[in-house]
Amino acid sequence: MHELDDTYYIKKVLDGHTEYFGRLVDRYSHCMYVLIFKIVRNKEEAEEVTQDVFLKTFQTLHKFKGECRFSTWLYRIAYTTAISATRKKRNEFLYLEDLTINNVADSQVDETFNKDDSTLLLAKLEKGIELLSPDERGLISLFYMENHPIEEIAAVTGLSESNVKVKLHRIRKKLYLIINDMP
């Protein structure tokens, strides 16, 4: 139903009825803000980047060809805009050697993330996610928090599906190392 509605509003906007763009903003502003906030980690900056995303979307709406869902196209704009915003700042993120990450057994990771004490685990995960790079936080958010399928994440990020899977696997191991190092 949303796809039909999105297409309808897009056509209306492209036909000069720009007031219909507000319907798309209303529909998607919250989920775009959530993703952007997970990446930039600052309320004011997330609000600013969200506005930039909708401005870019409005300015380039004529380029939307309908080859994917409108929401996927919009997520791609949001993801790349948020990543670009974080690259402009010189933030430091936790770096772990590839060898350290590769030495973690999948069974150890599964055991840790499947514990019954989920309250403590969630608190540690939230702190651990803050230590990830912006693009890692974006991938985690899209897959685990917003439940987007791998193929849609690939479309949003511009990565191949296999690369998304590999990155998610490595981020999971990285989070395992981070939370196991916490008190």
Side-chain angles (χ1 to χ4, degrees):
M1 185 66 175
H2 279 293
E3 280 310 304
L4 292 174
D5 293 339
D6 290 349
T7 304
Y8 172 79
Y9 292 132
I10 291 166
K11 183 171 176 8
K12 285 291 203 183
V13 172
L14 294 175
D15 287 344
H17 302 283
T18 57
E19 67 274 11
Y20 284 94
F21 189 72
R23 306 269 175 105
L24 295 170
V25 172
D26 290 343
R27 177 172 292 150
Y28 293 107
S29 61
H30 179 71
C31 54
M32 292 303 116
Y33 172 81
V34 169
L35 172 65
I36 292 166
F37 181 79
K38 296 284 184 194
I39 295 171
V40 302
R41 298 184 333 201
N42 176 289
K43 182 181 184 291
E44 291 79 21
E45 187 175 358
E47 289 170 355
E48 186 176 318
V49 172
T50 302
Q51 288 178 349
D52 290 346
V53 165
F54 283 105
L55 180 61
K56 285 180 185 181
T57 301
F58 182 78
Q59 293 170 338
T60 60
L61 192 59
H62 64 281
K63 293 182 181 180
F64 177 67
K65 302 297 180 207
E67 296 167 352
C68 61
R69 293 185 329 200
F70 176 71
S71 61
T72 302
W73 188 71
L74 187 57
Y75 268 106
R76 181 167 179 86
I77 294 170
Y79 180 83
T80 56
T81 304
I83 295 295
S84 293
T86 61
R87 287 188 180 141
K88 291 176 185 173
K89 295 187 295 181
R90 296 279 174 178
N91 291 337
E92 290 187 21
F93 305 101
L94 179 66
Y95 175 77
L96 291 171
E97 294 283 333
D98 287 344
L99 184 60
T100 305
I101 293 171
N102 292 337
N103 283 336
V104 175
D106 291 339
S107 59
Q108 289 175 290
V109 176
D110 290 340
E111 183 180 317
T112 297
F113 289 136
N114 292 328
K115 286 184 179 174
D116 289 335
D117 187 11
S118 60
T119 306
L120 179 60
L121 178 61
L122 286 175
K124 285 184 173 184
L125 276 172
E126 284 183 27
K127 290 178 184 174
I129 289 170
E130 291 299 313
L131 299 173
L132 297 174
S133 70
D135 47 340
E136 290 171 332
R137 287 192 309 269
L139 286 172
I140 288 291
S141 179
L142 286 169
F143 188 73
Y144 289 106
M145 297 167 190
E146 298 183 25
N147 299 314
H148 290 275
I150 296 291
E151 55 274 2
E152 189 171 342
I153 295 171
V156 166
T157 61
L159 301 169
S160 69
E161 288 182 28
S162 59
N163 200 348
V164 170
K165 289 176 186 176
V166 168
K167 285 183 177 279
L168 285 169
H169 185 74
R170 292 178 54 74
I171 294 167
R172 209 169 124 90
K173 284 186 172 187
K174 190 173 183 178
L175 280 170
Y176 165 81
L177 291 169
I178 292 169
I179 65 172
N180 275 336
D181 206 33
M182 290 180 180

